Amino acid sequence: MGNLKNPPKPKSHLSKPILLLALSITGIAFLFLFSSFISTTGFSFSSPKITPHVFNKSGTISIDNKHKFLYWGYRVDCPGKHCDTCAGLGHQESSLRCALEEAMFLQRTFVMPARMCINPIHNKKGLLHQSSQASSDEAWIATSCAMDSLYDLDLISTKIPVILDNSEVWHHVLSTAMKLGGRGVAHVKGVSRVNLKEDPQYANLLLINRTASPLAWFVECKDRLNHSSVMLPYTFLPSMAAKRFRDAADKVKAMLGDYDAMHVRRGDILKTRKDRFGVVRSRHPHVERDTKPECILKRIAKWIPPGRTLFIASNEGKPGFFSPLGVRYKLAYSSNYSWIVDPVIKNNYQLFMIERLIMMGAKTVIQTFKSEDSDLSLCDDPKKNTEGWLKVVSEGC
């Protein structure tokens, strides 16, 4: 649905004959039906709640400031280079948050993809039981999951109204857009959100179909380093987790009592390559060293006193990897509370959502990399490296 053709000059679109517009909307409708077909074959079709106030008494959509829609594509980061694959949960959330920010800025309802793609690299079953002998190569079967199995859409809608792109509401939006002709839909690419809001040719449309950056959706929010332009904080989507995840996390937090927490990212972030001289290089040259237990002990000693309960969330698949930290701390993992966590999760994205909620309840939280200057981190490498592949540093701590 997001793989739409876009004219080089968006303004010329509205002067096109109504027939051309109708064909464009028909194309969207066809792609909508195609994505629904995918949902019934490879992806399961979810049943989101319908938002009844969108419709008037005649059963058609009411067009006013509250009932205009923004659509970015049938999957996060697609159209674009990630249509055939997908990033991890954090990257997809950055993209989704960017789209939600635009909907919030435009005061439009966001048409959210009904499913989130699951990258198999981030979906190994061994991550669930750090202290067991489970094979780290065994993976969950799912390649995607329903968006409303991850997030509480009603809770999100208290901030930014959202509907799913397999919902009855979205079907009615497409039908209504076709009937409205020139007031129906605009296909935009390379148009700033300010222009979309202020230019009357876009402001009064029922539906804006955005073709985002082919690199990733979050590139549209490239000014995020300017904190005054950030409308939604990083913690927004993690705090919007589905209710069953929030309930599970609350139970675990109650059992942990007074505790600290640490997220240790290893796995894919340790990727290296050799240059033509045989020198091992990485985009994060210190992270493999800095996330080893002996270095972690040295790093966190100034923040967490001995004897404290330390909850660890990590994508490290080797059982017992963090056991050396037990000489100073009482270690806890989500696997210690498997009777609470296991029944409500079906993939590692859902597991990580629960672990994030648990971390948010900790007295002291330590991340692998800093997102904000005030964060505590295990590694001083920048989270987003712009310097290319650097020589790996393995000595010292």
Side-chain angles (χ1 to χ4, degrees):
M1 188 183 303
N3 192 15
L4 303 172
K5 299 296 183 181
N6 299 279
K9 295 182 180 180
K11 289 189 177 183
S12 65
H13 160 78
L14 297 178
S15 61
K16 296 288 186 181
I18 298 299
L19 177 60
L20 182 58
L21 178 63
L23 289 174
S24 298
I25 300 172
T26 302
I28 300 179
F30 172 78
L31 287 168
F32 163 68
L33 293 173
F34 176 70
S35 66
S36 298
F37 170 76
I38 293 175
S39 297
T40 59
T41 53
F43 303 17
S44 66
F45 197 89
S46 62
S47 301
K49 293 182 179 179
I50 302 302
T51 311
H53 63 266
V54 172
F55 301 99
N56 57 31
K57 292 181 180 179
S58 65
T60 58
I61 291 178
S62 301
I63 309 301
D64 56 35
N65 288 335
K66 292 183 179 180
H67 303 140
K68 295 175 183 176
F69 299 84
L70 176 67
Y71 176 74
W72 277 39
Y74 76 92
R75 203 175 79 188
V76 176
D77 288 338
C78 185
K81 72 172 186 178
H82 290 296
C83 284
D84 296 326
T85 179
C86 55
L89 177 63
H91 283 87
Q92 290 193 70
E93 282 191 336
S94 293
S95 289
L96 187 57
R97 188 170 64 248
C98 180
L100 288 168
E101 281 189 358
E102 180 162 289
M104 186 177 178
F105 180 79
L106 298 177
Q107 296 183 312
R108 287 176 171 267
T109 296
F110 181 64
V111 184
M112 185 179 288
R115 302 193 67 83
M116 178 176 282
C117 175
I118 298 176
N119 189 317
I121 294 177
H122 303 287
N123 208 30
K124 304 295 184 182
K125 278 189 175 181
L127 301 185
L128 178 58
H129 299 291
Q130 292 283 356
S131 59
S132 76
Q133 298 302 312
S135 170
S136 61
D137 293 327
E138 185 181 0
W140 298 93
I141 296 175
T143 57
S144 73
C145 61
M147 198 69 78
D148 55 4
S149 76
L150 295 173
Y151 303 104
D152 186 333
L153 301 187
D154 290 333
L155 189 58
I156 292 176
S157 291
T158 61
K159 185 77 172 179
I160 311 106
V162 297
I163 62 171
L164 294 177
D165 69 357
N166 66 351
S167 66
E168 182 183 347
V169 176
W170 179 228
H171 173 74
H172 279 275
V173 170
L174 293 173
S175 299
T176 304
M178 182 175 292
K179 295 174 183 177
L180 287 172
R183 288 187 59 211
V185 60
H187 309 274
V188 300
K189 182 177 182 180
V191 181
S192 73
R193 62 177 58 173
V194 173
N195 287 342
L196 290 176
K197 185 173 185 178
E198 296 180 353
D199 192 327
Q201 70 172 322
Y202 302 117
N204 296 321
L205 292 170
L206 170 66
L207 172 63
I208 291 177
N209 176 54
R210 154 81 76 185
T211 299
S213 169
L215 299 177
W217 285 7
F218 61 74
V219 176
E220 299 292 337
C221 294
K222 57 187 176 184
D223 196 29
R224 293 195 67 84
L225 292 179
N226 176 9
H227 287 203
S228 63
S229 70
V230 178
M231 302 176 70
L232 294 173
Y234 166 79
T235 54
F236 176 72
L237 282 172
S239 65
M240 296 291 113
K243 186 177 185 301
R244 70 182 188 280
F245 300 152
R246 302 199 306 271
D247 290 344
D250 286 343
K251 292 176 183 178
V252 173
K253 287 189 288 185
M255 298 188 72
L256 284 169
D258 182 23
Y259 65 99
D260 304 301
M262 178 173 66
H263 176 235
V264 187
R265 185 175 177 186
R266 288 179 58 84
D268 62 305
I269 205 71
L270 304 182
K271 182 179 178 180
T272 61
R273 63 171 56 168
K274 289 184 179 181
D275 63 19
R276 59 194 181 96
F277 302 106
V279 177
V280 179
R281 296 182 176 275
S282 169
R283 289 190 175 276
H284 300 87
H286 300 90
V287 70
E288 199 277 336
R289 178 199 68 182
D290 292 346
T291 54
K292 288 181 177 178
E294 58 269 28
C295 291
I296 291 176
L297 281 172
K298 292 181 181 179
R299 180 83 168 190
I300 70 175
K302 54 190 172 185
W303 301 319
I304 303 178
R308 294 278 296 170
T309 296
L310 179 61
F311 177 80
I312 301 175
S314 178
N315 63 345
E316 170 56 54
K318 182 179 178 181
F321 181 82
F322 296 106
S323 295
L325 302 180
V327 299
R328 187 182 298 164
Y329 304 108
K330 302 171 186 175
L331 305 183
Y333 309 92
S334 57
S335 59
N336 298 135
Y337 307 93
S338 57
W339 72 94
I340 298 174
V341 175
D342 284 19
V344 298
I345 68 165
K346 294 182 179 179
N347 56 68
N348 281 342
Y349 285 19
Q350 295 175 344
L351 171 63
F352 186 46
M353 294 189 80
I354 293 177
E355 291 181 331
R356 288 189 307 192
L357 291 169
I358 296 170
M359 291 184 64
M360 291 167 70
K363 180 179 180 180
T364 301
V365 177
I366 302 172
Q367 302 286 354
T368 305
F369 306 105
K370 288 186 177 183
S371 294
E372 305 288 343
D373 291 339
S374 59
D375 288 348
L376 303 179
S377 67
L378 297 174
C379 185
D380 292 325
D381 288 345
K383 190 173 184 178
K384 294 182 179 179
N385 174 27
T386 59
E387 299 182 18
W389 292 81
L390 305 176
K391 183 179 178 180
V392 170
V393 178
S394 57
E395 301 297 326
C397 283

